[in-house]
Amino acid sequence: MKLTSNLQGLLAASFSVLILAFSNLVHAEDYPTKPVTIVVPFSAGGPTDAVARLLSVPMTKFMGQTVIVENTVGAGGTIAANRVAKSPKDGHLVLFHHIGISTAPALYSKLPYDTLNDFEYIGQVVNAPMTLIGRPNLPANNFKELLVYIQKNKDKVTLANAGPGAVSQLCGMLFTSQLGIPLTQIPYKGTGPAITDVLGGQVDLLCDQTTNTLQHIRANKVKLYGTTTLKRLSSLPDVPTLSEQGLKGFQVVAWHGMYVSKGTPAPITEKINAALKFALADADVKARLAELNVEIAPPEDVTPAGLKRQVESEIKKWGPIIKAAGAFID
Ligand code: ASP
């Protein structure tokens, strides 16, 4: 008798698991059932925001639902990452983050989410090189002159960044630690407001993505001191890299990826991945990214495995560098 009721209980439990799995699948087939929000961890007008907005147009076409961009700023992108990690597992909130997702575990002693286990990885998106730029009226006209200027004005030179944990902060940290001169860092909520202050002369230096800096470099509105890649950029062939100019091996690339919360059903993550691939193949998107010297990730990386590989290897790469520089946030 007891055995029978146990069996009945077991059958009922398995049945409800099956029903739940089936209803998840039915929902997954219908996805998206409402507008999809891409969560950008930095303010509007910055490079992460710019790429997200560019992708949202073809993604809307593919999804048959509006794809909107929302800026959830602060704490180097960890507030946005936590928001998506804790969101319903239905694919309607998508995180679009950069390299900062893999530097945060070293920068923050305690994160409110688990980087490797709280997300479904959708795929890598783009890789953006960076440039070291200065306010238009900064007396130094090239990198050599900048080094002399910094030596003479150590206490008053300011370096902007898009907040603790931003890739601009990472670049600034590498720059100052290679120089051996700690400069005053001015944090903003994103590159949008940071670059406005560089253009206005309120802050001296900024290391940031070509996505935003190239237009001001081309218009001669900022001073340019070098690029953060090992090879020169095709868009700036006459501009030496920082590595070439004495900062041996200096290399920071802002790579980007897309994520949803862990447990989102595979048909949904596959549809987001297909929408992303569709967007990256769009002629307007390709032309605009090429114009900004932003590279589309190779097809094998625009995959969940490609992104996971990248996050894991970047956590391993930056952890010891950040620890050695003693650059902790909390
Ligand atoms: N480029 C920024 C950073 O330094 C973020 C942004 O505004 O996109 O992380």
Side-chain angles (χ1 to χ4, degrees), residues 25-110:
L25 260 179
V26 170
H27 283 124
E29 292 307 314
D30 294 343
Y31 172 82
T33 53
K34 57 180 180 185
V36 174
T37 302
I38 299 183
V39 178
V40 167
F42 300 99
S43 45
T48 314
D49 178 77
V51 176
R53 284 177 202 275
L54 194 60
L55 297 175
S56 70
V57 179
M59 282 181 82
T60 293
K61 217 190 279 174
F62 185 90
M63 295 279 202
Q65 280 278 0
T66 316
V67 175
I68 54 171
V69 173
E70 228 174 75
N71 305 82
T72 300
V73 304
T78 58
I79 294 176
N82 191 43
R83 181 181 170 204
V84 174
K86 306 277 190 306
S87 68
K89 307 164 192 326
D90 62 10
H92 288 95
L93 219 55
V94 179
L95 175 68
F96 181 57
H97 201 346
H98 62 25
I99 177 176
I101 198 153
S102 55
T103 53
L107 288 167
Y108 292 83
S109 62
K110 239 196 268 149

Side-chain angles (χ1 to χ4, degrees), residues 42-43 46-49 98 130 162 166-169 190-192 207-209:
F42 300 99
S43 45
T48 314
D49 178 77
H98 62 25
M130 301 177 77
V167 65
S168 44
Q169 190 228 5
T191 300
C207 175
D208 221 301
Q209 285 122 281

Side-chain angles (χ1 to χ4, degrees), residues 281-305:
D282 180 87
D284 290 342
V285 168
K286 281 163 81 172
R288 184 72 188 128
L289 291 176
E291 218 179 294
L292 300 171
N293 210 139
V294 175
E295 256 175 38
I296 292 174
E300 66 274 18
D301 292 342
V302 190
T303 57

